[in-house]
Amino acid sequence: MKTLICIFIAYFGLSSAETIPELAEKLNGLKFIRLLDDVGLTDMLSGTGPFTVFVPTDNAFDALADGVLNKIMKDKELLKSVLLFHILSWKIYTKELKNEKRIPTLNNNMKVRINLYNKKIVIDGSKVLLADQNATNGVIHVIDKVLVPLPSQNMLQYLASDGEFYKFVHSFVKVKLERKLIDGPFTLFAPTDTAFDQFPPYLLIKLVSDDKKLTDALNYHLVKGTLFFDEWNGTTNSRRQIFKYHNESR
Ligand SMILES: *[C@@H]1O[C@H](CO)[C@@H](O)[C@H](O)[C@H]1NC(C)=O
Ligand SMILES: *[C@@H]1O[C@H](CO)[C@@H](O)[C@H](O)[C@H]1NC(C)=O
């Protein structure tokens, strides 16, 4: 009996004595930890904290598009900023997370967006696979995708800089609805110029010559809230319809 109690204490003593890097390694986050090592961030994450760390699984790194990881790894400053984007300087459990809340990371306070869908928790589009894992100096939430700091553009800026949405943006401006592309959060289904070209011309003329009809049609492309592609399971043939909305200043 005595031995049993000793083993019991030893087991729990050991498991609760793990720092964030030690625990992350056990939780399928070996690649994340190796990269932290590369840029000398492991010491910080072994320190007092407390921290919250969104740890992408090894699979998440494998799933990055061809060359992305190589590109990031070649540029140490970029790698560091990507990693810091996964770290918060305080401890937050998933039950404290609120839908559409944006929280500052150690990457220059650049924010990640929290979304709650049903029972799913999503951090900037990445799903939480394993939540609230306690380390001595903070908490780990394991996620299924690497978080990539995105440029802080609002929808209007994004569409304008893309070059494929001239007609769509122009329509918003025509009926003075462009404010809608700056406020948020919204999800936008954005037809490309090609999509406009494929629209029957007589219908398009009817639409653009009637501000009320055009306004209704444009509003029909906006859905309230942030809806990531993975969360949206309708069927469609078109590409590039859903945009994450980044507006609030960082
Ligand atoms: C971690 O600690 C918090 C707060 O004490 C607790 O709510 C949570 O259940 C713990 N996580 C696990 C996986 O035990
Ligand atoms: C879409 O998601 C809902 C809710 O999770 C589910 O009930 C439904 O079956 C899904 N539809 C498709 C086509 O996957």
Side-chain angles (χ1 to χ4, degrees):
M1 187 63 192
K2 225 178 194 169
T3 333
L4 201 65
I5 290 168
C6 282
I7 291 170
F8 197 73
I9 289 168
Y11 176 76
F12 281 94
L14 208 71
S15 69
S16 67
E18 279 166 335
T19 61
I20 282 178
E22 287 162 350
L23 183 60
E25 204 170 317
K26 283 195 180 164
L27 298 175
N28 213 356
L30 189 59
K31 291 193 176 167
F32 183 71
I33 296 308
R34 290 236 174 94
L35 293 173
L36 286 175
D37 275 340
D38 277 358
V39 292
L41 282 174
T42 313
D43 279 355
M44 178 191 86
L45 277 187
S46 307
T48 350
F51 301 101
T52 299
V53 186
F54 301 109
V55 175
T57 60
D58 291 345
N59 280 344
F61 282 99
D62 295 340
L64 279 175
D66 268 0
V68 171
L69 188 58
N70 277 344
K71 191 177 164 218
I72 294 174
M73 281 176 67
K74 265 192 216 131
D75 181 344
K76 290 280 150 143
E77 277 311 301
L78 179 63
L79 173 58
K80 198 168 174 180
S81 68
V82 169
L83 295 171
L84 287 172
F85 196 52
H86 292 74
I87 308 172
L88 315 177
S89 62
W90 74 98
K91 195 153 105 171
I92 189 161
Y93 289 108
T94 49
K95 63 173 189 288
E96 303 163 72
L97 297 174
K98 302 256 190 308
N99 191 37
E100 297 292 2
K101 179 112 179 141
R102 300 176 73 246
I103 47 183
T105 66
L106 284 184
N107 177 33
N108 284 323
N109 286 328
M110 214 169 152
K111 290 170 183 163
V112 287
R113 180 187 295 279
I114 307 300
N115 284 103
L116 310 177
Y117 305 103
N118 253 332
K119 291 197 171 100
K120 222 191 298 176
I121 300 161
V122 170
I123 317 295
D124 246 18
S126 178
K127 195 165 60 184
V128 173
L129 298 173
L130 189 62
D132 305 328
Q133 300 298 303
N134 293 301
T136 48
N137 58 344
V139 64
I140 288 177
H141 310 296
V142 179
I143 55 175
D144 74 341
K145 288 193 200 79
V146 179
L147 305 177
V148 181
L150 291 168
S152 59
Q153 287 178 312
N154 63 42
M155 272 188 191
L156 185 58
Q157 292 164 334
Y158 184 104
L159 293 173
S161 66
D162 187 280
E164 265 194 278
F165 301 100
Y166 176 79
K167 290 176 183 176
F168 192 50
V169 172
H170 189 74
S171 309
F172 273 87
V173 174
K174 182 170 185 293
V175 291
K176 301 189 169 57
L177 213 60
E178 65 270 30
R179 187 76 228 164
K180 282 240 167 151
L181 298 175
I182 297 169
D183 297 330
F186 282 113
T187 299
L188 179 66
F189 295 78
T192 58
D193 290 340
T194 315
F196 271 88
D197 294 343
Q198 284 164 356
F199 206 67
Y202 70 99
L203 281 180
L204 194 59
I205 289 167
K206 249 181 154 169
L207 196 60
V208 296
S209 57
D210 183 337
D211 278 5
K212 168 83 175 64
K213 277 210 175 78
L214 184 56
T215 303
D216 288 350
L218 293 175
N219 277 325
Y220 201 59
H221 291 78
L222 282 162
V223 180
K224 211 168 184 321
T226 309
L227 198 55
F228 290 94
F229 194 78
D230 284 351
E231 314 316 319
W232 175 70
N233 60 4
T235 51
T236 178
N237 296 320
S238 18
R239 302 176 298 125
R240 316 192 51 178
Q241 283 166 314
I242 298 197
F243 293 98
K244 238 179 349 169
Y245 177 60
H246 287 272
N247 178 43
E248 295 97 317
S249 55
R250 291 197 146 106

